[in-house]
Amino acid sequence: MSELIILGSGGGRIVVFQGIRSSGGFIIKNKNFLIHVDPGPGALHGLLKNKIYPNKITHIWVTHKDLDHTGELNIIIEGMTEGGLQKKGTLYTPEEVLRENILLKYLIDYLKDIVITKPENLYHIDELRFKTSLMHNHRGVECFGFIIENFSFGYLVDTKPDENILKFYSNLDYLLVNCVLLEPREDVYHISLQDIPFVYEITKPKNLILNHFGMRLLKYGFRNVSDFLKKYSIPFTLAYDNMKITF
């Protein structure tokens, strides 16, 4: 049995940096591994709140360089390796994270391995099969999500909704979608609530889990969000900090 724990369900600068919700990413764990995906602001607090100590982490996966996805990357690596006393752990990351020195250089030697991830590739972590998506439409950033084939689980990370990208995530049991906006904005490269019916029409998951909420969406209120989604008969879950899913 494996478990996913959402350490932070917030997205957007105001929500994260006013402490309204964390953006600590999420954990995938079982008896053999503990993977931390996108350790943004609040990651360490989220781990400790769930009684998970950083030195138990075996792998870190970063989808892209943005601060709300990497803000505590260095802290988590320090904790995972016990300040470098234990050379351990593998970091999976787009090359851009290294090229722009988001990972502090001295921490590179603390890690057992670094795997540079690329779009449309297959990676193995223990028995898990991670298949990466096409490059997402996110300001030209090296950004792509993934499917864990073993769990029929997908992570639709930051992007403008594009049919070719969305098709990659079709017909899964669980699809975790970063839904930051209430309404689409031409200058913001994120999915909005109003885009979700289109997202669902293309992907058709058994359970669509909305996550990474921005301020206007939170102010709109989850009752209104739920009423909107029910009109389209979408099977949905609204994420919250420390929410757990068992596979």
Side-chain angles (χ1 to χ4, degrees):
M1 184 177 69
S2 298
E3 186 175 53
L4 184 147
I5 306 173
I6 293 179
L7 301 181
S9 56
R13 273 54 179 171
I14 296 174
V15 169
V16 173
F17 298 117
Q18 288 188 5
I20 296 168
R21 290 196 180 204
S22 168
S23 184
F26 58 91
I27 288 288
I28 303 164
K29 70 183 184 80
N30 71 11
K31 63 181 182 180
N32 298 321
F33 54 76
L34 200 161
I35 307 164
H36 195 157
V37 179
D38 284 352
L44 179 60
H45 176 76
L47 287 171
L48 298 177
K49 190 174 181 65
N50 285 280
K51 298 182 180 179
I52 300 170
Y53 295 99
N55 63 356
K56 302 301 182 185
I57 295 171
T58 58
H59 304 79
I60 299 171
W61 187 290
V62 172
T63 60
H64 63 293
K65 69 179 182 179
D66 286 1
L67 191 61
D68 52 345
H69 295 257
T70 62
E72 293 193 14
L73 172 63
N74 295 298
I75 293 170
I76 297 303
I77 291 174
E78 281 271 9
M80 178 177 68
T81 62
E82 299 182 12
L85 294 176
Q86 301 290 330
K87 188 178 180 71
K88 61 173 287 196
T90 300
L91 171 65
Y92 291 79
T93 181
E95 188 174 9
E96 194 169 38
V97 169
L98 304 181
R99 193 166 61 244
E100 298 194 9
N101 296 322
I102 291 165
L103 172 63
L104 296 175
K105 289 184 177 180
Y106 79 91
L107 292 175
I108 292 173
D109 290 336
Y110 288 10
L111 292 162
K112 183 179 178 181
D113 196 12
I114 297 176
V115 175
I116 302 300
T117 53
K118 296 184 181 299
E120 301 180 85
N121 269 268
L122 182 64
Y123 301 89
H124 291 84
I125 298 179
D126 205 88
E127 75 269 21
L128 297 187
R129 298 184 303 277
F130 282 70
K131 187 177 181 181
T132 53
S133 71
L134 289 71
M135 190 76 76
H136 281 201
N137 182 5
H138 191 59
R139 308 188 328 272
V141 170
E142 289 182 13
C143 176
F144 35 91
F146 57 78
I147 288 170
I148 303 177
E149 294 181 334
N150 313 59
F151 301 149
S152 190
F153 167 85
Y155 179 32
L156 177 52
V157 71
D158 304 352
T159 187
K160 275 189 175 292
D162 177 280
E163 185 171 352
N164 288 329
I165 293 170
L166 295 176
K167 284 179 179 177
F168 171 81
Y169 299 95
S170 295
N171 301 312
L172 298 168
D173 289 349
Y174 303 90
L175 181 58
L176 182 65
V177 179
N178 282 4
C179 181
V180 175
L181 304 173
L182 178 60
E183 301 164 337
R185 285 180 50 184
E186 186 62 33
D187 60 332
V188 180
Y189 290 75
H190 282 286
I191 289 171
S192 75
L193 178 63
Q194 291 188 8
D195 296 319
I196 292 299
F198 173 66
V199 171
Y200 178 70
E201 179 184 348
I202 303 300
T203 59
K204 287 291 192 335
K206 291 181 180 177
N207 190 349
L208 191 151
I209 306 164
L210 299 188
N211 189 44
H212 210 57
F213 305 114
M215 179 60 83
R216 289 193 65 212
L217 192 53
L218 289 175
K219 284 186 173 180
Y220 185 61
F222 275 8
R223 177 173 292 179
N224 290 327
V225 171
S226 297
D227 289 344
F228 174 81
L229 296 172
K230 287 174 182 176
K231 286 193 301 183
Y232 296 91
S233 300
I234 296 172
F236 70 91
T237 300
L238 303 178
Y240 52 89
D241 292 4
N242 308 304
M243 186 177 87
K244 298 179 180 180
I245 301 169
T246 300
F247 301 106

